[in-house]
Structures are given as structure tokens and as C-alpha cells.
Amino acid sequence: MHYVAIAAQPLDVQALYEKLKAPEFGGIVTFVGTVRQWTDEIETQSLEYTAYTEMALKEMTKLAVAIEAKGANVVIVHRVGQLELTDEAVFVGVAAAHRGEAFKWCEYLIDTVKKQVPIWKKEFDTDKIRWGGLNDV
Amino acid sequence: MHYVAIAAQPLDVQALYEKLKAPEFGGIVTFVGTVRQWTDEIETQSLEYTAYTEMALKEMTKLAVAIEAKGANVVIVHRVGQLELTDEAVFVGVAAAHRGEAFKWCEYLIDTVKKQVPIWKKEFDTDKIRWGGLNDV
Amino acid sequence: MMFNVKLFAILAEQIGHSEVQLTLTAPITAAAVKTALRAQYPQTASVLADCLVAINQTFVSEEQFAPSEVTEIALIPPVSGG
Amino acid sequence: MMFNVKLFAILAEQIGHSEVQLTLTAPITAAAVKTALRAQYPQTASVLADCLVAINQTFVSEEQFAPSEVTEIALIPPVSGG
């Protein structure tokens, strides 16, 4: 059974992982995106994520339901609020019968979350503030 | 810095995940293999893993070091002993700067662990006992 | 007819509000929403070019809506979650 | 010359020991290890066909070793971790 959430509090990776476990699914792949310090020459100090929460949840639910229909458990949780270096921004987990599917579906889900779920990153870098998704204007 | 182990006790997924985190690596992919109940028509009740421990650690270390040289943190831990349904048999984690690499390297590592690390599965199924890796004789 | 339009991220920052009222005439389209915002807040023009429109929490491109079908309008700047 | 050879998994079970002593003559090769075990324990023949040999904890196939180079020999049935 899928679990999707927009979380204002730090992600509990262990608890989210536990939601994926099931006797019929032997392969569990998780992706966690954390706040990275360096992007080429740019040094990030912190991030702020905001979301169009109701629509984000709808989009995440659509994605999760479509993958679960193939035979899987899916968890997708995204943080909002102020994040520091190494804080967890997003958790995507897939439990499936076989590992090849779990890898493929987990990567598809995070790729798709990044493309079409209405969540925005405001990056506080050492040189200036940047909005994710926009060309560096 | 890599961490590899053969563990006689249940895997602490949270603690292993924490070892991967680093400010320079924003993408963390983990694979956990758990004991699955059904394989086609065969129902598994429990498993016993044994290892040629010293050599297994050497092989796991070689694999981890080779991936870390590309820019990553790697954790590989395999259980030995008696495992019940949904117990964790293996944890493979890769933290890298970007998620594409983390997915690719994590899948490569578990594929390779399954092929060349001297660990054996004895499967206690409802109909009989099977050794993994052998044709069902 | 007046509609509340939700704004997010850089768009909300440029205007200083997370919601604005825009006058739209039937049929409601994504292009009409963007045109109306641009007219009222010219400083959003360059970001607006890359924005999507969600009506009733679903991305829309060329669809036309009767005003009575529209319960929620939002302008979605390029997303950057993950 | 006598060598201790480590056995694992189904091979250990078939023989009832996790280590056996085998007589090997120089040079030591993977094939010679398998041949010696098969001669002493014919019941292992079918599993042995799929086994690898590790010398000093490294898989070997066609290499030849002087007895003095060999500190540990193991027979590795098809692995099945993960």
C-alpha cells in the first residue's frame, strides 16, 4: 500500500523503509536525496523547499498507484521548509518481487518526481540566492 | 570511506544508511534484499546463509574500493545465520554526487555480490530443502 | 469574471503575494491566465514564459474550461524538487 | 604433500566435514584440487563440476602454484548470496 507525504519535519528514513517491507517483495530499493555542499564551483549553505501541497500529493499519488499496479510497494516523501547540508530532501522507495524492477521503478519515480511534482527549491549559496529549475539569471 | 561486513546479527538499516551520508554526495541509493515468501510455486519458510567469511570480506572490499575510486561512499553488508520471512539478507548502499551514478553503481554492486562473493543460501521450503545456486536436483 | 490565482516560488516572490485576483473571460485557458498575469505584473514576463498552469490541481495546456468548471487556478514555475 | 582444503555449503554437507586433507603434488592447480577430492569422495562429482577453487582466498582457474606459495585452499560451490 503506497504512502506519500509532504513533510515539514526531518524524514525518518528507518520508518519509511519499514513501510516498504512485505513477504512477497524481496527487493527493496530506496533513493534519498540529501542537501549537497558543492555543485561545480557553487557552494550551497542551505535550501528552502516549498510545495503546492495538495497538487503535489495528487501527483505523487498518481505516480505511486501506477507503479503499485505492476506489483510493488511505493513510498514517496518530500520535505518542505529549511534544510541544512546532508539533510534529507526526498525519499523514494520501491519494494518489488525482484531487484531489477525495484531499481528501474525507483529511478523512474525520482526522475518523474523531479520533473512534474510542484515543489520548488530556493538555494542559499555562498555567492547568492538561486531558485532551482531556472536558468541562473 | 567504505564499510563491508558479514553480520551474524540482524542488519541495522538506519545505521548502515547513516554511514553513507556526506556533504559532497547528494544521491544515496540503497538495495536491501529480504527473505521472500514465494518463488513461483515454491513457498519459503526460512533461509540459512553461510559464508567463507575472510574471502567474502576480501571480495566485498575489492568491489567497494573500486566504486569508491570513482567518487562515492559504499556500504556492503551480508547476513549469515538463520533468517525468517522479511528479514534483511543483504544491504548494499552507494552515495554519489549524482543520482544516476548512485543507481548504476548500487545495481552493479548487488549483481556482482550475488555472482562472486562466497556466500551460500540454504532454503527451507515447505516441500523440501534447496541449496541456492544449484539446479533443483 | 474574477478568479483567485495561486502563485508559488519565484513568482510569488516577484509579486509579493501567494495569490492574486485576475479577471478572466470564458472560456478559461492556460494562455489566458498567463496573459492576464503578465498584463497586471509585467515583471513576471520572463519567468511566466516557463510556467505551466494547473486548473483544479491538474496541469493543462490547450484545454478550454467553462468558468463554472474552474475551482482552483495555479501558476506553476519550473519545478525543482528532489 | 598434504593440504587442508576448506569445504562450504552443499559440499561440506555431502562430505560431513568443513575441511578435508588432500594429497597434492607440485604444481598445485585448481584442476588437481578437484580431481583429488573427486577421487576420495565420489559423491561430490556432480557438485564439483560447478565448483570454483580459491587459493589464498582468490579465485583461480588455470594458474599453477608452487606448494610453498599455497597457504589456503578452498572449494567454492556456486555462490548464492543476496
Side-chain angles (χ1 to χ4, degrees):
Chain A
M1 190 54 201
H2 67 271
Y3 176 79
V4 305
I6 298 291
Q9 299 302 317
L11 305 191
D12 182 341
V13 169
Q14 175 78 29
L16 297 176
Y17 163 76
E18 292 291 339
K19 291 181 193 294
L20 294 163
K21 287 176 71 172
E24 67 268 39
F25 299 136
I28 303 177
V29 174
T30 69
F31 171 79
V32 176
T34 59
V35 179
R36 193 180 57 216
Q37 184 169 17
W38 293 95
T39 301
D40 303 322
E41 304 296 294
I42 297 167
E43 182 178 4
T44 297
Q45 291 184 311
S46 65
L47 295 182
E48 188 185 8
Y49 283 100
T50 51
Y52 180 6
T53 304
E54 303 79 3
M55 183 174 167
L57 290 172
K58 269 183 151 176
E59 292 288 317
M60 288 153 69
T61 300
K62 269 191 256 175
L63 293 173
V65 166
I67 293 297
E68 289 204 338
K70 301 170 188 273
N73 280 344
V74 171
V75 168
I76 308 175
V77 180
H78 205 294
R79 259 304 292 283
V80 289
Q82 197 73 26
L83 278 75
E84 307 302 322
L85 294 183
T86 78
D87 283 354
E88 285 82 7
V90 60
F91 177 101
V92 175
V94 175
H98 301 288
R99 72 184 185 285
E101 296 168 337
F103 274 104
K104 187 175 64 179
W105 295 339
C106 185
E107 189 165 17
Y108 164 79
L109 284 173
I110 179 61
D111 287 352
T112 310
V113 163
K114 289 178 78 98
K115 262 183 253 164
Q116 71 189 47
V117 176
I119 296 171
W120 298 274
K121 175 168 70 175
K122 188 176 184 179
E123 215 176 273
F124 297 83
D125 300 326
T126 50
D127 59 336
K128 62 172 177 169
I129 292 173
R130 287 178 178 81
W131 282 95
L134 297 177
N135 291 328
D136 198 1
V137 285
Chain B
M1 190 54 200
H2 67 271
Y3 176 79
V4 305
I6 298 291
Q9 299 302 318
L11 305 191
D12 182 342
V13 169
Q14 175 78 28
L16 298 177
Y17 163 76
E18 292 292 340
K19 290 181 192 294
L20 293 163
K21 286 175 71 171
E24 69 268 38
F25 299 136
I28 303 177
V29 174
T30 69
F31 172 79
V32 176
T34 59
V35 179
R36 191 180 60 217
Q37 184 169 16
W38 294 95
T39 302
D40 302 323
E41 303 296 293
I42 297 167
E43 182 177 5
T44 297
Q45 291 185 311
S46 64
L47 295 182
E48 188 185 9
Y49 282 100
T50 52
Y52 179 6
T53 303
E54 302 81 2
M55 183 173 166
L57 290 171
K58 270 183 152 175
E59 292 287 319
M60 287 153 68
T61 301
K62 269 190 258 176
L63 293 172
V65 166
I67 293 297
E68 289 204 337
K70 299 169 189 274
N73 280 345
V74 172
V75 168
I76 308 174
V77 180
H78 205 294
R79 260 301 294 281
V80 290
Q82 197 74 25
L83 279 75
E84 307 303 323
L85 293 184
T86 78
D87 283 354
E88 284 84 7
V90 61
F91 177 102
V92 175
V94 175
H98 301 287
R99 70 184 186 284
E101 296 168 337
F103 273 104
K104 186 175 67 180
W105 294 340
C106 185
E107 189 165 17
Y108 163 79
L109 283 173
I110 179 62
D111 287 353
T112 310
V113 164
K114 289 178 79 98
K115 263 184 252 164
Q116 71 191 46
V117 176
I119 297 173
W120 298 274
K121 173 167 71 175
K122 188 176 184 179
E123 212 175 279
F124 297 83
D125 299 325
T126 51
D127 58 336
K128 62 172 177 170
I129 292 172
R130 288 177 176 81
W131 282 95
L134 298 175
N135 291 328
D136 198 2
V137 286
Chain C
M1 192 172 163
M2 296 288 276
F3 287 87
N4 290 321
V5 175
K6 292 178 184 289
L7 305 174
F8 296 94
I10 188 170
L11 214 48
E13 212 171 72
Q14 285 183 333
I15 293 181
H17 298 285
S18 62
E19 196 159 300
V20 291
Q21 285 211 319
L22 297 178
T23 303
L24 302 168
T25 53
I28 315 294
T29 66
V33 175
K34 292 170 79 164
T35 302
L37 191 80
R38 192 180 305 110
Q40 205 164 323
Y41 301 95
Q43 72 271 33
T44 62
S46 89
V47 169
L48 258 185
D50 293 321
C51 285
L52 297 176
V53 173
I55 292 183
N56 304 344
Q57 301 179 0
T58 300
F59 289 114
V60 298
S61 49
E62 303 299 320
E63 298 88 335
Q64 304 198 338
F65 293 83
S68 62
E69 298 170 326
V70 175
T71 55
E72 189 167 313
I73 304 178
L75 275 158
I76 313 285
V79 304
S80 52
Chain D
M1 193 171 162
M2 297 289 276
F3 286 88
N4 291 321
V5 175
K6 291 177 184 290
L7 306 174
F8 296 95
I10 189 171
L11 214 48
E13 210 170 75
Q14 284 182 334
I15 292 178
H17 298 285
S18 61
E19 195 160 299
V20 291
Q21 286 212 318
L22 297 178
T23 302
L24 302 168
T25 52
I28 315 293
T29 67
V33 174
K34 292 170 80 164
T35 302
L37 190 80
R38 193 182 304 111
Q40 206 165 323
Y41 301 95
Q43 71 272 29
T44 63
S46 89
V47 169
L48 258 186
D50 293 321
C51 285
L52 297 175
V53 174
I55 292 184
N56 305 344
Q57 301 179 0
T58 301
F59 289 113
V60 299
S61 50
E62 302 298 321
E63 299 87 335
Q64 303 198 339
F65 293 83
S68 62
E69 298 170 326
V70 175
T71 55
E72 190 167 312
I73 303 178
L75 275 158
I76 313 285
V79 304
S80 52

